[in-house]
Amino acid sequence: MPRRIALLLEYDGTDFAGWQRQPEARTVQAVLEETLAALTQAPCPVVGAGRTDAGVHALGQVGHFSTTGGMPAGRMREALNAMLPDDIVVREAAEVGPAFHARYSARLRTYRYALLVRRRPSVLLRRYALHVPEPLDLAAMRAAGAAFEGEHDFAAFRVAGTRTASTVCTLRDLRIDDTDDFTVVTVRADRFLRQMARRIVGTLLQVGRGRLPPGETAAILRSGDGGRAGPPAPAHGLYLAGVAYPAEISPWPAGAGVVL
């Protein structure tokens, strides 16, 4: 009987064309599958919890695959980390039951967006945070962000023309934290449309810069008109921070690093 193995992954998205396998492109899924095939000597398709775009990073992406091999999950983690390139790390590996599915079993996904708010940019952080040279009105951004919480049609905050059965999502909370030079926007929802997190942050940046009144976000949501929203924030400041699953099938306890 095949065994199902779940992986908790961290990766630097800078040199990847996103998560999903694509012809003639380096993607996280393709690198994982090729490495697993070399390790197990058999094809190992990997299912991810979310399809991060090109340049987007992950602190807590989750994937699963099936194998007929007998290597314990812990040894598999160490073997994979010895074989994978430096921009992917398997943080945890665990054997799970057939009821677990990295994508369909997920109940919440958490994204974080990092802003470096100071006059001068940083050489070391240029690939991991968006440089914002002017001060932001955080009170206005928080007021605007409150309108996103709850169940809404987020059609105005997705890539135009993308196909999806529904554009309704439930955003559990949106938080803006400010420490020294950093402002971090955290959004947690049951699902995200393509570029939804980046377009929310891009709209909040327009508010923070005084280019959009805080009350306009609710009106944009109701309109469904993506042309009224702010441009998507660049990919390099975004992180898939974690994915939460029901306790009865979750591969890891809350303390293992998965953001709940």
Side-chain angles (χ1 to χ4, degrees):
M1 283 288 292
R3 303 157 58 219
R4 182 165 289 191
I5 306 295
L7 303 175
L8 179 61
L9 303 162
E10 181 176 315
Y11 51 83
D12 177 345
T14 304
D15 296 325
F16 288 104
W19 164 269
Q20 189 174 8
R21 178 182 283 274
Q22 303 172 40
E24 307 300 324
R26 183 176 187 258
T27 69
V28 179
Q29 184 183 41
V31 170
L32 278 171
E33 290 176 349
E34 291 160 9
T35 307
L36 281 165
L39 177 64
T40 65
Q41 297 299 297
C44 283
V46 179
V47 176
R51 297 174 179 177
T52 52
D53 290 334
V56 174
H57 314 294
L59 301 172
Q61 170 74 286
V62 177
H64 81 258
F65 66 94
S66 295
T67 179
T68 56
M71 183 184 295
R75 283 185 57 198
M76 192 172 293
R77 177 191 63 192
E78 300 309 314
L80 284 171
N81 283 334
M83 299 169 69
L84 284 166
D86 290 343
D87 46 5
I88 305 180
V89 168
V90 179
R91 292 177 53 190
E92 300 288 348
E95 188 165 346
V96 293
F100 177 86
H101 192 284
R103 180 181 177 187
Y104 296 127
S105 299
R107 293 295 175 264
L108 290 173
R109 294 164 174 83
T110 300
Y111 279 91
R112 289 181 179 148
Y113 198 96
L115 304 167
L116 178 65
V117 185
R118 70 184 193 189
R119 183 179 175 185
R120 293 180 178 84
S122 166
V123 170
L124 298 179
L125 298 173
R126 69 190 186 281
R127 304 198 303 181
Y128 307 110
L130 175 64
H131 176 232
V132 180
E134 73 275 14
L136 295 171
D137 186 341
L138 297 183
M141 291 173 66
R142 291 182 178 116
F148 292 115
E149 295 183 344
E151 184 181 86
H152 301 286
D153 186 337
F154 282 88
F157 294 89
R158 64 166 176 164
V159 176
T162 52
R163 295 182 179 181
T164 181
S166 171
T167 52
V168 174
C169 307
T170 301
L171 200 147
R172 293 293 185 90
D173 56 71
L174 186 153
R175 191 174 74 247
I176 301 174
D177 297 307
D178 183 50
T179 305
D180 296 326
D181 293 333
F182 287 96
T183 296
V184 177
V185 181
T186 302
V187 286
R188 185 173 59 158
D190 60 344
R191 58 192 289 262
F192 285 85
L193 307 176
R194 188 177 176 192
Q195 290 194 3
M196 177 175 146
R198 289 170 56 194
R199 287 172 181 265
I200 287 174
V201 174
T203 302
L204 292 176
L205 281 171
Q206 293 291 84
V207 173
R209 288 166 166 155
R211 300 172 186 171
L212 197 69
E216 187 68 13
T217 53
I220 296 170
L221 273 171
R222 291 192 299 268
S223 74
D225 181 2
R228 295 175 60 181
H236 69 275
L238 185 64
Y239 300 75
L240 175 55
V243 186
Y245 298 89
E248 61 270 19
I249 63 169
S250 180
W252 306 283
V258 179
V259 176
L260 299 176

